[in-house]
């Protein structure tokens, strides 16, 4: 479930807020699939039949503005997850590398996103670009390799930033259109 509110003080300016409750259950392959891969020195992909669901609370604040053909949006978000499903890597008793999905308690992810769109700014060209910044932390629990995650309190390994840019040519004919990008 998600609850959101949008406030438009001006025609081309809006502010938004959202809170949502997330729930995720993994597929059977992460729970029951076992495979030994011989490449790169060999490693074992091990299913985890005890893998539980992931639950989270998600919050977001945002703003959108339009200046002629240019659209600009910014958002800040925060996620507090319990039972976060993470791929953990460790070694078994024989020294073989094992990759296995685990539930991690108390994962917090926060970040911001900025997006720019220019529609038909040069003849029939559209341009869009975005950048997203992410960070996070985890704590709590013991994984199947015996690592006490409560004592670990490490930064969570997420992408620190990523971005994209797209240039597209679009020709519109009434209700129809054609684009290349």
């Amino acid at each position: 479930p998600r609850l959101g509110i949008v406030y438009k003080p001006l025609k081309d300016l809006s502010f938004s807020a959202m809170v949502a409750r997330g729930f995720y259950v993994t597929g059977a392959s992460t729970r029951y699939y076992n495979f030994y891969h011989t490449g790169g020195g060999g490693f074992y992909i091990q299913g985890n039949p005890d893998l539980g669901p992931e639950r989270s609370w998600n919050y977001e604040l945002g703003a959108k503005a339009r200046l002629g053909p240019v659209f600009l949006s910014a958002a800040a978000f925060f996620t507090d997850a319990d039972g976060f499903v993470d791929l953990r890597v460790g070694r078994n008793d024989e020294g073989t590398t094992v990759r296995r999905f685990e539930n991690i308690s108390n994962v917090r992810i926060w970040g911001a996103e900025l997006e720019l769109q220019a529609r038909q700014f040069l003849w029939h060209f559209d341009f869009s670009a975005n950048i997203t910044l992410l960070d996070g932390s985890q704590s709590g629990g013991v994984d199947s390799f015996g690592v006490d995650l409560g004592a670990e309190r490490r930064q969570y390994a997420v992408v620190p930033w990523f971005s994209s840019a797209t240039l597209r040519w679009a020709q519109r004919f009434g209700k129809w259109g054609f684009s290349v990008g």
Side-chain angles (χ1 to χ4, degrees), residues 48-167:
N48 183 355
D50 299 323
L51 195 61
E54 176 183 310
R55 293 177 175 87
S56 66
W57 281 101
N58 307 288
Y59 308 93
E60 182 176 305
L61 294 173
K64 293 181 182 178
R66 177 180 177 181
L67 303 166
V70 177
F71 296 82
L72 181 64
S73 66
F77 53 88
F78 174 73
T79 298
D80 187 7
D82 186 43
F84 186 77
V85 176
D86 186 29
L87 181 62
R88 304 293 288 184
V89 179
R91 295 201 182 273
N92 64 11
D93 295 337
E94 292 84 34
T96 304
T97 301
V98 177
R99 296 177 183 183
R100 175 182 165 131
F101 285 97
E102 299 284 340
N103 288 110
I104 309 297
S105 298
N106 302 324
V107 171
R108 292 186 170 97
I109 300 171
W110 53 90
E113 182 175 47
L114 182 63
E115 183 175 15
L116 170 75
Q117 292 182 4
R119 298 182 184 161
Q120 294 184 342
F121 71 101
L122 290 173
W123 304 288
H124 298 283
F125 285 98
D126 294 347
F127 174 76
S128 64
N130 75 349
I131 185 166
T132 302
L133 305 170
L134 293 173
D135 201 359
S137 64
Q138 76 176 44
S139 65
V142 176
D143 69 14
S144 63
F145 303 111
V147 176
D148 181 358
L149 300 172
E152 188 176 327
R153 296 198 64 83
R154 68 179 177 90
Q155 277 303 108
Y156 195 69
V158 295
V159 178
W161 66 274
F162 59 92
S163 63
S164 68
T166 305
L167 182 64

